Every structure is written in C-alpha cells, then in structure tokens.
Amino acid sequence: SYYNAGWLSFIWSLVILLPTIAVSVRRLHDVNKSGWWWWLNVICCIGPLILLFAFYIKASDPGENNYGPAPGTAAA
C-alpha cells in the first residue's frame, strides 16, 4: 500500500507557523524594528535574505528600546 505523508507535513507546517512568526517578531523588536518587517518574508528569495542579513544576525540594541528592555538583562 502507498502511504502519503503530505498531510502530516502540512499539519506540522501549520503547528510551527505561529511560533516561528512570534520568534521572528521578537528578534525584530530586539533590534528596535517593528514586527511588520516580518512581511518581507513574502517577497520571494530576496525578502528573507534582507531580514537575515539586515536584522536577524545584527546584535541587539544595548539598553532599553521602544519594545522594552534589552534581552538578557535583569529587567527582561
């Protein structure tokens, strides 16, 4: 018999979608950018690269920013 795991893969994608978006938005907030920048991901190929190299691998802003205290501080 033929077993197709495509539906299982689809369900797994839906399960991890919201946590992935949440982590991405939190990372953008760490560098003092709006979570709306996440929508660059919908631009095929170039959007995720912009996010990766411009925001995700950048060091967090020191001190408090518009979105709260710096990660790893006692106030966080």
Side-chain angles (χ1 to χ4, degrees):
S1 88
Y2 178 74
Y3 179 73
N4 185 355
W7 63 271
L8 188 60
S9 176
F10 175 73
I11 291 172
W12 180 251
S13 296
L14 289 178
V15 166
I16 66 168
L17 178 65
L18 283 178
T20 301
I21 292 172
V23 168
S24 297
V25 168
R26 287 186 66 161
R27 180 64 191 130
L28 287 167
H29 286 177
D30 286 346
V31 294
N32 204 23
K33 298 295 180 197
S34 170
W36 289 102
W37 280 97
W38 179 86
W39 285 99
L40 280 177
N41 280 314
V42 300
I43 301 172
C44 182
C45 301
I46 192 71
L49 290 176
I50 292 169
L51 285 171
L52 177 67
F53 291 110
F55 302 130
Y56 291 163
I57 61 174
K58 178 183 172 190
S60 297
D61 286 352
E64 193 167 321
N65 63 27
N66 295 335
Y67 302 99
T73 62

